[in-house]
Short mmCIF file of all heavy atoms in Angstrom, two decimals:
data_model
loop_
_atom_site.label_atom_id
_atom_site.label_comp_id
_atom_site.label_asym_id
_atom_site.label_seq_id
_atom_site.Cartn_x
_atom_site.Cartn_y
_atom_site.Cartn_z
N MET A 270 -4.41 6.31 -5.95
CA MET A 270 -5.44 5.96 -6.94
C MET A 270 -5.68 7.10 -7.92
O MET A 270 -6.79 7.36 -8.33
CB MET A 270 -6.74 5.53 -6.24
CG MET A 270 -7.23 6.49 -5.19
SD MET A 270 -8.61 5.82 -4.20
CE MET A 270 -9.98 6.20 -5.26
N TYR A 271 -4.55 7.78 -8.28
CA TYR A 271 -4.58 8.83 -9.31
C TYR A 271 -5.30 10.09 -8.84
O TYR A 271 -5.76 10.88 -9.65
CB TYR A 271 -5.15 8.30 -10.64
CG TYR A 271 -4.51 6.99 -11.03
CD1 TYR A 271 -5.15 5.77 -10.77
CD2 TYR A 271 -3.25 6.97 -11.59
CE1 TYR A 271 -4.53 4.56 -11.08
CE2 TYR A 271 -2.63 5.77 -11.91
CZ TYR A 271 -3.27 4.58 -11.65
OH TYR A 271 -2.65 3.37 -11.95
N GLY A 272 -5.40 10.25 -7.50
CA GLY A 272 -5.93 11.46 -6.90
C GLY A 272 -4.79 12.28 -6.32
O GLY A 272 -3.60 11.94 -6.48
N PRO A 273 -5.12 13.37 -5.61
CA PRO A 273 -4.07 14.24 -5.06
C PRO A 273 -3.44 13.70 -3.78
O PRO A 273 -4.04 12.86 -3.09
CB PRO A 273 -4.83 15.54 -4.77
CG PRO A 273 -6.23 15.07 -4.49
CD PRO A 273 -6.47 13.88 -5.36
N LYS A 274 -2.26 14.20 -3.48
CA LYS A 274 -1.62 13.89 -2.20
C LYS A 274 -2.24 14.76 -1.10
O LYS A 274 -2.83 15.79 -1.38
CB LYS A 274 -0.12 14.16 -2.29
CG LYS A 274 0.59 13.26 -3.32
CD LYS A 274 1.99 13.75 -3.59
CE LYS A 274 2.68 12.88 -4.64
NZ LYS A 274 2.01 12.92 -5.96
N GLY A 275 -2.08 14.31 0.14
CA GLY A 275 -2.52 15.13 1.27
C GLY A 275 -3.97 14.95 1.66
O GLY A 275 -4.49 15.72 2.45
N VAL A 276 -4.64 13.92 1.12
CA VAL A 276 -6.02 13.63 1.52
C VAL A 276 -6.23 12.12 1.54
O VAL A 276 -5.82 11.41 0.63
CB VAL A 276 -7.05 14.34 0.60
CG1 VAL A 276 -6.92 13.89 -0.85
CG2 VAL A 276 -8.46 14.17 1.10
N GLY A 277 -6.83 11.65 2.63
CA GLY A 277 -7.11 10.22 2.77
C GLY A 277 -8.41 10.06 3.53
O GLY A 277 -9.14 11.03 3.76
N ALA A 278 -8.69 8.82 3.91
CA ALA A 278 -9.94 8.58 4.63
C ALA A 278 -9.83 7.33 5.49
O ALA A 278 -8.99 6.46 5.26
CB ALA A 278 -11.11 8.44 3.65
N LEU A 279 -10.70 7.30 6.49
CA LEU A 279 -10.88 6.10 7.31
C LEU A 279 -12.34 5.70 7.23
O LEU A 279 -13.23 6.52 7.50
CB LEU A 279 -10.50 6.39 8.77
CG LEU A 279 -10.64 5.21 9.74
CD1 LEU A 279 -9.64 4.11 9.41
CD2 LEU A 279 -10.46 5.67 11.18
N PHE A 280 -12.57 4.46 6.81
CA PHE A 280 -13.92 3.90 6.89
C PHE A 280 -14.12 3.40 8.31
O PHE A 280 -13.27 2.68 8.85
CB PHE A 280 -14.07 2.74 5.89
CG PHE A 280 -15.16 1.76 6.24
CD1 PHE A 280 -16.49 2.09 6.05
CD2 PHE A 280 -14.85 0.51 6.79
CE1 PHE A 280 -17.49 1.19 6.40
CE2 PHE A 280 -15.84 -0.38 7.13
CZ PHE A 280 -17.17 -0.05 6.94
N VAL A 281 -15.23 3.82 8.93
CA VAL A 281 -15.57 3.38 10.29
C VAL A 281 -16.99 2.83 10.26
O VAL A 281 -17.95 3.55 10.00
CB VAL A 281 -15.48 4.56 11.30
CG1 VAL A 281 -15.77 4.05 12.71
CG2 VAL A 281 -14.10 5.22 11.26
N ASN A 282 -17.12 1.54 10.54
CA ASN A 282 -18.42 0.85 10.48
C ASN A 282 -19.41 1.45 11.48
O ASN A 282 -19.09 1.65 12.65
CB ASN A 282 -18.19 -0.64 10.79
CG ASN A 282 -19.29 -1.52 10.26
OD1 ASN A 282 -19.44 -1.66 9.06
ND2 ASN A 282 -20.06 -2.12 11.15
N ARG A 283 -20.65 1.72 11.03
CA ARG A 283 -21.65 2.37 11.88
C ARG A 283 -22.67 1.42 12.49
O ARG A 283 -23.33 1.75 13.46
CB ARG A 283 -22.41 3.42 11.05
CG ARG A 283 -21.73 4.76 10.99
CD ARG A 283 -22.40 5.68 9.99
NE ARG A 283 -23.78 6.03 10.34
CZ ARG A 283 -24.13 7.01 11.17
NH1 ARG A 283 -23.20 7.75 11.73
NH2 ARG A 283 -25.39 7.28 11.41
N LYS A 284 -22.84 0.24 11.89
CA LYS A 284 -23.88 -0.69 12.38
C LYS A 284 -23.35 -2.11 12.40
O LYS A 284 -22.68 -2.55 11.48
CB LYS A 284 -25.10 -0.65 11.44
CG LYS A 284 -25.94 0.60 11.59
CD LYS A 284 -27.14 0.54 10.66
CE LYS A 284 -27.93 1.84 10.70
NZ LYS A 284 -28.93 1.92 9.64
N ASN A 285 -23.75 -2.81 13.44
CA ASN A 285 -23.47 -4.26 13.58
C ASN A 285 -22.01 -4.65 13.28
O ASN A 285 -21.76 -5.36 12.33
CB ASN A 285 -24.40 -5.06 12.65
CG ASN A 285 -25.85 -4.75 12.89
OD1 ASN A 285 -26.28 -4.59 14.03
ND2 ASN A 285 -26.61 -4.64 11.82
N PRO A 286 -21.05 -4.25 14.06
CA PRO A 286 -21.17 -3.40 15.25
C PRO A 286 -21.00 -1.92 14.90
O PRO A 286 -20.43 -1.58 13.87
CB PRO A 286 -19.99 -3.87 16.10
CG PRO A 286 -18.94 -4.23 15.09
CD PRO A 286 -19.69 -4.80 13.90
N ARG A 287 -21.46 -1.06 15.79
CA ARG A 287 -21.18 0.38 15.68
C ARG A 287 -19.81 0.61 16.30
O ARG A 287 -19.62 0.39 17.50
CB ARG A 287 -22.26 1.18 16.41
CG ARG A 287 -22.03 2.71 16.31
CD ARG A 287 -23.11 3.48 17.03
NE ARG A 287 -22.89 4.92 16.92
CZ ARG A 287 -23.33 5.68 15.91
NH1 ARG A 287 -24.02 5.11 14.93
NH2 ARG A 287 -23.10 6.98 15.88
N VAL A 288 -18.87 1.00 15.48
CA VAL A 288 -17.49 1.17 15.95
C VAL A 288 -17.26 2.63 16.34
O VAL A 288 -17.71 3.54 15.65
CB VAL A 288 -16.49 0.76 14.84
CG1 VAL A 288 -15.05 0.96 15.31
CG2 VAL A 288 -16.72 -0.70 14.44
N LYS A 289 -16.58 2.82 17.46
CA LYS A 289 -16.24 4.17 17.91
C LYS A 289 -14.73 4.27 18.05
O LYS A 289 -14.08 3.30 18.45
CB LYS A 289 -16.92 4.48 19.25
CG LYS A 289 -18.44 4.52 19.16
CD LYS A 289 -19.03 4.88 20.52
CE LYS A 289 -20.55 4.98 20.44
NZ LYS A 289 -21.13 5.32 21.75
N VAL A 290 -14.21 5.44 17.73
CA VAL A 290 -12.78 5.69 17.95
C VAL A 290 -12.63 6.99 18.71
O VAL A 290 -13.41 7.92 18.54
CB VAL A 290 -11.97 5.75 16.63
CG1 VAL A 290 -11.98 4.42 15.91
CG2 VAL A 290 -12.45 6.87 15.71
N THR A 291 -11.61 7.06 19.56
CA THR A 291 -11.30 8.29 20.27
C THR A 291 -10.54 9.21 19.33
O THR A 291 -9.55 8.79 18.71
CB THR A 291 -10.44 7.99 21.51
OG1 THR A 291 -11.15 7.10 22.36
CG2 THR A 291 -10.11 9.27 22.27
N SER A 292 -11.01 10.43 19.20
CA SER A 292 -10.35 11.40 18.32
C SER A 292 -8.90 11.59 18.74
O SER A 292 -8.58 11.60 19.92
CB SER A 292 -11.11 12.73 18.41
OG SER A 292 -10.34 13.77 17.87
N GLN A 293 -8.02 11.74 17.74
CA GLN A 293 -6.61 12.01 18.02
C GLN A 293 -6.26 13.47 17.75
O GLN A 293 -5.13 13.90 17.97
CB GLN A 293 -5.73 11.09 17.15
CG GLN A 293 -5.97 9.61 17.38
CD GLN A 293 -5.70 9.18 18.80
OE1 GLN A 293 -4.59 9.34 19.31
NE2 GLN A 293 -6.70 8.63 19.47
N MET A 294 -7.22 14.23 17.22
CA MET A 294 -7.02 15.63 16.86
C MET A 294 -8.18 16.43 17.45
O MET A 294 -9.33 16.16 17.12
CB MET A 294 -7.04 15.76 15.33
CG MET A 294 -6.49 17.05 14.82
SD MET A 294 -4.76 16.94 14.41
CE MET A 294 -4.85 16.05 12.88
N ASP A 295 -7.89 17.36 18.29
CA ASP A 295 -8.94 18.10 18.97
C ASP A 295 -9.13 19.50 18.37
O ASP A 295 -8.17 20.11 17.90
CB ASP A 295 -8.60 18.24 20.46
CG ASP A 295 -8.48 16.88 21.13
OD1 ASP A 295 -9.37 16.04 20.90
OD2 ASP A 295 -7.50 16.64 21.85
N GLY A 296 -10.38 19.98 18.41
CA GLY A 296 -10.65 21.33 17.97
C GLY A 296 -11.70 21.41 16.88
O GLY A 296 -11.41 21.13 15.73
N GLY A 297 -12.91 21.75 17.24
CA GLY A 297 -13.93 21.98 16.22
C GLY A 297 -14.90 20.84 16.00
O GLY A 297 -16.00 21.05 15.53
N GLY A 298 -14.48 19.63 16.32
CA GLY A 298 -15.38 18.48 16.23
C GLY A 298 -15.83 18.12 14.83
O GLY A 298 -16.91 17.56 14.64
N HIS A 299 -15.01 18.42 13.82
CA HIS A 299 -15.36 18.06 12.44
C HIS A 299 -15.39 16.53 12.29
O HIS A 299 -14.92 15.80 13.14
CB HIS A 299 -14.33 18.61 11.45
CG HIS A 299 -14.05 20.08 11.59
ND1 HIS A 299 -13.31 20.61 12.63
CD2 HIS A 299 -14.39 21.13 10.81
CE1 HIS A 299 -13.22 21.92 12.48
NE2 HIS A 299 -13.86 22.27 11.39
N GLU A 300 -15.93 16.09 11.15
CA GLU A 300 -15.96 14.66 10.80
C GLU A 300 -16.53 13.79 11.92
O GLU A 300 -15.90 12.86 12.41
CB GLU A 300 -14.55 14.17 10.40
CG GLU A 300 -14.04 14.80 9.11
CD GLU A 300 -14.95 14.52 7.92
OE1 GLU A 300 -14.85 13.44 7.34
OE2 GLU A 300 -15.77 15.41 7.57
N ARG A 301 -17.77 14.17 12.31
CA ARG A 301 -18.50 13.41 13.34
C ARG A 301 -17.72 13.30 14.65
O ARG A 301 -17.81 12.30 15.37
CB ARG A 301 -18.88 12.02 12.84
CG ARG A 301 -19.66 12.10 11.56
CD ARG A 301 -20.26 10.80 11.09
NE ARG A 301 -20.98 11.10 9.87
CZ ARG A 301 -22.21 11.60 9.82
NH1 ARG A 301 -22.89 11.79 10.92
NH2 ARG A 301 -22.80 11.88 8.67
N GLY A 302 -16.92 14.32 14.92
CA GLY A 302 -16.17 14.36 16.17
C GLY A 302 -14.94 13.48 16.18
O GLY A 302 -14.24 13.40 17.18
#
Side-chain angles (χ1 to χ4, degrees):
M270 50 189 277
Y271 312 99
K274 297 168 182 63
V276 61
L279 180 67
F280 157 75
V281 182
N282 202 67
R283 274 171 65 84
K284 286 181 185 169
N285 305 320
R287 181 179 181 87
V288 179
K289 295 182 178 180
V290 295
T291 301
S292 165
Q293 301 300 302
M294 195 94 76
D295 299 314
H299 308 73
E300 293 301 279
R301 305 189 179 277

